[in-house]
């Protein structure tokens, strides 16, 4: 069973986050012509390449073909599952990154063209300063683009001017990276964080804005729990959960990159309604990760309650123009009161019109062997692979896969139909 916990240690704050929630009902499409082919467990590919990378340390590329991993703290690599090619970049002992399991503070982020990896590690978890670096797999080199001339423990050794960067997200053209940044003051003290944009080539930094509610906080480092850049390059979607939860300022926000103006599009109260009675503390609602659809029309948001002991998640999408919020229409039981499946991963189609979702089945699966996408696979639980049309809300069950340990939330659907989801690689062909 999956359970997520992230502890943010900085001065006097602690943040713990885990996943929850329940899905809703919709109609079911039948045999639309979509087909799943060439189904292979990701682990099989890696074993053939003699690569040891636990599921929690695999980072899926946007193209649905490559997996990034770190064979040692000083090296990061990318393996092309189809060609068998492996490329690595040497980080060096002074730039070792902690790339452990953490879904709300991801230590790396793939570039849009799947040629490079932005690395920040997990400075607030290991309490060591890490600069924003780029592992260029095409040229197999590493570049530190935000060197602050400090290396070592954040507490108590950090020098004035030390910068702590988290939540890297690339601009659509790959020329810039947005981050949450904390710059330590003259006494090495924390203050208010900023959303900052870094030029990849020059390292030049531009502070766009302080975080929502910064006027009421002495420091708010680590409050950004998800960050994603809109396809048109004008807006950042930001999931916010302050280290002292705030029902006014937490939720999902849009940040205009030119003006620095914020717009809240999902409040804690609105998000909590999707959890229903599952929410133990309605104030502490996690709205992350957030992910734009490739056409920029919608925003995918995962919702959970960090205080619950449940392992379910709610997945919604927001139509940007209208502000309409739609809950992922997964099947429910016959009494329509309980979910029959709960989502664990999702990926937008390349055109943004559909969502591919892996959802753990809470009921026995169909005996129809045609629905077993990997008849030779083994697993105690099955994950249904669903395709949703976001305009109509209809869904189609493509089949079932034995659930494999894998990172929560994220999946990958490339333009050539290559898919990485639920621990598997396959191709998806449409009508």
């Amino acid at each position: 069973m999956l359970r997520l916990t992230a502890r943010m240690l900085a001065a006097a704050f602690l943040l713990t986050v885990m996943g929850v929630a329940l899905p809703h009902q919709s109609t079911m499409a039948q045999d639309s012509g979509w087909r799943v082919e060439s189904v292979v467990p990701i682990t099989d590919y890696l074993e053939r390449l003699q690569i040891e990378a636990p599921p929690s340390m695999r980072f899926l590329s946007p193209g649905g073909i490559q997996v990034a991993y770190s064979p040692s703290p000083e090296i990061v690599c990318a393996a092309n599952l189809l060609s068998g090619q492996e490329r690595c970049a040497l980080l060096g002992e002074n730039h070792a990154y902690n790339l452990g399991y953490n879904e709300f503070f991801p230590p790396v982020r793939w570039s849009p063209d799947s040629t490079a990896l932005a690395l920040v590690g997990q400075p607030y978890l290991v309490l060591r300063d890490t600069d924003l670096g780029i592992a260029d797999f095409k040229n197999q080199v590493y570049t530190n683009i935000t060197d602050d001339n400090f290396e070592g423990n954040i507490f108590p050794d950090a020098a004035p001017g030390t910068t702590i960067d988290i939540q890297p997200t690339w601009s659509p053209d790959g020329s810039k990276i947005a981050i949450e940044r904390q710059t330590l003051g003259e006494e090495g003290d924390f203050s208010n964080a900023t959303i900052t944009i870094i030029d990849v080539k020059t390292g030049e930094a531009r502070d766009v804005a302080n975080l929502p509610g910064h006027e009421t906080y002495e420091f708010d480092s680590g409050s950004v729990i998800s960050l994603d850049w809109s396809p048109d390059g004008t807006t950042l979607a930001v999931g916010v959960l302050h280290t002292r939860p705030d029902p006014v300022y937490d939720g999902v926000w849009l940040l205009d990159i030119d003006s620095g103006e914020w717009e809240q599009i999902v409040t804690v109260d609105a998000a909590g309604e999707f959890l229903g009675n599952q929410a133990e503390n309605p104030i502490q609602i996690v709205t992350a990760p957030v992910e734009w659809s490739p056409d920029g029309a919608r925003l995918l948001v995962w919702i959970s309650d960090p205080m619950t002991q449940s392992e379910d998640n709610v997945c919604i999408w927001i139509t940007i123009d209208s502000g309409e919020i739609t809950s992922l229409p997964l099947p429910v039981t016959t009494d329509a009161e309980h979910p029959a499946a709960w989502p664990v991963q999702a990926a937008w189609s390349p055109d943004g019109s559909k969502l591919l979702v892996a959802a753990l089945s809470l009921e026995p699966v169909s005996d129809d062997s045609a629905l077993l996408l990997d008849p030779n696979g083994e697993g105690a639980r099955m994950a249904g692979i669903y395709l949703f049309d976001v305009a109509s809300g209809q869904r189609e069950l493509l089949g079932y896969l034995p659930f494999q340990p894998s990172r929560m939330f994220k999946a990958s659907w490339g333009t050539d139909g290559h898919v990485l989801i639920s621990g598997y690689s396959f191709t998806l062909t449409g009508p």
Side-chain angles (χ1 to χ4, degrees):
M1 302 296 285
L2 292 173
R3 183 185 178 102
L4 301 180
T5 302
R7 289 182 173 85
M8 295 288 296
L9 299 175
F13 63 85
L14 173 68
L15 173 63
T16 303
V17 284
M18 294 172 285
V20 300
L22 298 176
H24 294 258
Q25 188 176 18
S26 179
T27 58
M28 176 94 172
Q30 297 293 332
D31 194 18
S32 64
W34 289 90
R35 294 291 180 268
V36 174
E37 302 170 345
S38 304
V39 179
V40 180
I42 293 175
T43 300
D44 285 10
Y45 280 115
L46 297 179
E47 288 178 351
R48 292 173 195 169
L49 298 173
Q50 297 183 325
I51 293 171
E52 295 184 6
S56 62
M57 299 280 285
R58 301 172 190 168
F59 304 93
L60 311 180
S61 74
I65 296 176
Q66 298 185 84
V67 173
Y69 65 98
S70 180
S72 75
E74 299 176 6
I75 301 173
V76 65
C77 300
N80 187 305
L81 302 183
L82 300 186
S83 70
Q85 184 180 49
E86 182 184 15
R87 291 181 175 270
C88 299
L90 179 65
L91 307 176
E93 63 181 20
N94 293 331
H95 300 294
Y97 292 89
N98 184 304
L99 303 183
Y101 182 78
N102 196 316
E103 299 302 348
F104 298 107
F105 298 94
V108 306
R109 188 74 174 259
W110 274 96
S111 63
D113 62 0
S114 299
T115 63
L117 208 65
L119 302 100
V120 293
Q122 300 182 54
Y124 290 126
L125 298 183
V126 299
L127 299 181
R128 287 186 61 83
D129 178 50
T130 55
D131 301 322
L132 171 63
I134 303 296
D136 178 353
F137 295 123
K138 185 177 181 179
N139 299 300
Q140 301 190 75
V141 295
Y142 166 81
T143 305
N144 180 349
I145 64 172
T146 63
D147 190 354
D148 56 11
N149 297 312
F150 174 79
E151 299 170 3
N153 296 326
I154 296 174
F155 299 108
D157 304 327
T162 296
T163 55
I164 304 172
D165 301 332
I166 62 173
Q167 300 292 354
T169 180
W170 296 75
S171 63
D173 63 2
S175 66
K176 299 177 179 63
I177 296 175
I179 52 174
E180 184 211 280
R181 165 166 286 189
Q182 171 63 243
T183 302
L184 302 193
E186 295 181 358
E187 303 297 327
D189 53 312
F190 282 68
S191 57
N192 291 124
T194 60
I195 300 296
T196 300
I197 294 177
I198 308 295
D199 186 284
V200 172
K201 288 185 177 180
T202 67
E204 181 181 353
R206 178 173 76 89
D207 294 337
V208 178
N210 290 112
L211 305 187
H214 68 275
E215 303 90 346
T216 65
Y217 288 85
E218 184 177 352
F219 62 84
D220 52 13
S221 309
S223 296
V224 174
I225 55 174
S226 188
L227 191 64
D228 202 36
W229 208 308
S230 66
D232 65 4
T234 65
T235 309
L236 288 168
V238 188
V240 177
L241 177 64
H242 286 84
T243 53
R244 185 178 73 247
D246 190 319
V248 175
Y249 296 112
D250 291 344
V252 181
W253 295 75
L254 298 182
L255 174 61
D256 184 278
I257 292 173
D258 289 336
S259 68
E261 295 182 356
W262 291 95
E263 176 189 0
Q264 190 176 30
I265 61 172
V266 179
T267 65
V268 166
D269 288 342
E273 292 179 2
F274 289 93
L275 294 177
N277 295 329
Q278 295 298 313
E280 295 188 7
N281 188 336
I283 294 176
Q284 300 186 55
I285 301 298
V286 177
T287 51
V290 297
E291 184 178 358
W292 288 94
S293 61
D295 59 1
R298 296 172 179 85
L299 191 67
L300 186 70
V301 181
W302 294 81
I303 302 174
S304 57
D305 172 10
M307 301 304 293
T308 186
Q309 297 303 308
S310 175
E311 294 167 318
D312 300 327
N313 302 282
V314 159
C315 189
I316 65 172
W317 66 77
I318 306 162
T319 302
I320 300 300
D321 288 345
S322 66
E324 180 183 4
I325 300 177
T326 304
S327 179
L328 187 71
L330 280 167
V332 297
T333 55
T334 53
D335 60 11
E337 293 182 359
H338 303 288
W342 59 277
V344 290
Q345 292 152 356
W348 287 107
S349 64
D351 65 359
S353 68
K354 293 175 175 59
L355 272 172
L356 186 68
V357 176
L360 278 181
S361 178
L362 302 180
E363 295 184 320
V365 303
S366 170
D367 293 332
D368 185 356
S369 61
L371 289 176
L372 301 179
L373 301 176
D374 181 12
N376 298 320
E378 297 180 356
R381 302 187 69 180
M382 300 297 286
I385 307 300
Y386 294 89
L387 188 63
F388 294 88
D389 183 282
V390 293
S392 67
Q394 288 188 318
R395 71 172 181 269
E396 179 180 1
L397 174 61
L398 300 179
Y400 291 97
L401 288 169
F403 181 70
Q404 304 291 324
S406 53
R407 298 180 68 90
M408 285 287 286
F409 307 124
K410 294 292 187 179
S412 177
W413 184 350
T415 55
D416 293 333
H418 296 294
V419 170
L420 299 173
I421 192 170
S422 193
Y424 276 85
S425 167
F426 59 77
T427 56
L428 185 59
T429 58

